[in-house]
Amino acid sequence: MKISYLLITCILIFGSCDLSKPNSPKVENKTEALQDSLVKGWNTWNNPSVLSYVKMPDGLKLQIKMRKKGHGPYWLGDAYVANPKYNFAEVIKPKEHAYDGSYTALHLSWEGMNASIETAVDGEDFVMLYTPDSIQESVHILVLESGYLWNKPGLLRLEEDIIEASSDDNKTVIRNIGTDTNMPLPIPTPYFSFDSDNKIAIYTGKERSIQEVEAIILNKKNQFKENTSQYGELASVYEAIQSVVAWNQFYDAFNDRGISSVSRIWNEAWGGYIIFDWDTYFIASIAAIDNKNLAYSNVFAITNSITDSGFIPNVAATYKKSNDRSQPPVGAMTVKMIYDQYKEKWFLEEVYGNLLAWNRWWTNNRDNKGFLSWGSDPHPQGMQGNTMKAAKWESGLDNSPMFDEIAFNEETHMMELASVGLMSLYIADCKYLAEIASVLGKLEDREELLNRAKMYSDKLNELWDDNLGIYRDKNLITGEFTEHLSPTHFYPLLAGVPTQEQATRMIEEHFMNPEEFYGKYMMASIAKNNAAYPDNSYWRGRIWAPMNYLVYLGLRNYDLPEARKILSEKSKELLLKEWNDKRHIYENYNAEIGVGDDVRNSDPFYAWGGLLGYIPLIEEGYVKIETIK
């Protein structure tokens, strides 16, 4: 089943493209150079299919498709890493994927056909090796289709057993090793076709033997493995999280940039691309381990999508952005951590103004009786603006039971909830942004930010429940604490607000409590003794990587080594369980059995799931980050 385009049609009617540009000519030159360096060569740039390999900047595409022999479905066109509960016919097991496309590997199953597909880049040349499994249930026609994407200029010509592609002064010769069936197929551009039960090689450039193609692929695979080996016992963890970000990297033709999205399926559903606020920052964090350009590009993409109202939107997509609401403020934290790795001030200069505007927006628009509350403003182009549903979307915790009994105030445009999670993230945002201001010599801004951090820290301390030993959300109508506990109630650790004594109580009485958060798999998005936990639906009881990540960063601010180790180990085990089995990294996981595909609403290859592996890389010292108090 392919993605429904009904939603895309609706978006086309109501929106317009977001073609954000850098802020200054000086920075623009650097961002252009960054994109030139990032978006080049052969890679899986074409979002609609993981079986599509594209040479940039030419836009020359070589894509594998399958033609069934026998009764339908007749074609496998575009292919995704997809949840079978959505009735996708193809089963893709993504494996290694170097960021620069120098080596990729996956396993494809479709209608009884099973095969491994590996690619490599040798200088300017591309090689692909298709190797069927030893036992095939069915034999189909494998098609190698050529073309030029995104209306880029080019000419294609079939000449006997080769395809010639010409673009400007660049000429590419595409060859094959295999027995071409020469089957007449309704494909408008030159193609090769083969029986799917034979080993096949596709390559560009000079003539090569099958042994030479295999040697190139083996060499590039070994180089990839050598790079991952530097992470020692965590090599498989690094490979998993690097691959999920690399497989979700694509070329955004609307903005002429390379970025990594949460999921190719989400991009396709939104007509080209979609980036979410905190998702995109988190993906940048993972990429920053060893791909500075991709990390920068993701940060620029979401930060420069700032709305006219002065906030980073929940959603920025091909034809729409959420002008009514934002999402959790993790931008300054992410930017400062990336800066700490590369120490390039121009990176800070590019985003500082927008991050400061966003920081000020929160206190001007989401201050509710001195606390902070999630909300949604009225806006003619908003997505269900000024509603409780949209306010939940701003939280990023869409259906969390934390909001079940809370009212939405249409006059203030906010929930009547003093949110521990939001206030903690905002205090941390103030502190990290103050550090950035110091680097840039903006001392007045620094003082302003630290004053706000202090003001909201004092208000956050009003939400400390000394009887329960943890911070709690407060219903601002009744004035009472709510009954729900979530990992967000550990976020004050991230803000550095609790004392060591308070932090210890939070961990001993709640984190380590098997009736609340401790268990074989951690951390459930709501306490296990909560009535909503058995729902096992999205934020009602499932495990989400960003929650683990934010709690872990908070633990680093305190003398809590046992809790840090526990969360690191359990995050790693959860990640590898499904990666080793299915090569999937899920959007969310079942907190009881540690799987991701037991429900429909868990994307099987969602990039921020890689945070589960980012945690142990930090814990074991492979990633150096600085924390705040």
Side-chain angles (χ1 to χ4, degrees), residues 345-414:
K345 285 180 66 175
W346 78 270
F347 170 62
L348 299 181
E349 292 167 349
E350 161 67 346
V351 295
Y352 177 76
N354 287 348
L355 290 177
L356 180 61
W358 187 26
N359 181 279
R360 289 168 173 166
W361 176 86
W362 284 104
T363 190
N364 291 331
N365 293 272
R366 295 293 184 257
D367 186 288
N368 193 353
K369 303 178 180 68
F371 300 99
L372 291 175
S373 302
W374 303 110
S376 168
D377 299 327
H379 195 284
Q381 294 179 339
M383 301 176 185
Q384 301 188 32
N386 201 30
T387 64
M388 183 63 174
K389 185 173 185 178
K392 291 179 181 180
W393 286 340
E394 181 169 85
S395 76
L397 314 177
D398 307 2
N399 68 337
S400 172
M402 290 189 289
F403 312 133
D404 283 359
E405 299 84 24
I406 302 303
F408 181 80
N409 188 323
E410 294 185 0
E411 293 184 4
T412 64
H413 322 307
M414 288 182 283

Side-chain angles (χ1 to χ4, degrees), residues 299-317:
V299 168
F300 295 161
I302 189 61
T303 311
N304 291 334
S305 69
I306 192 167
T307 67
D308 293 339
S309 300
F311 63 87
I312 310 302
N314 168 191
V315 172

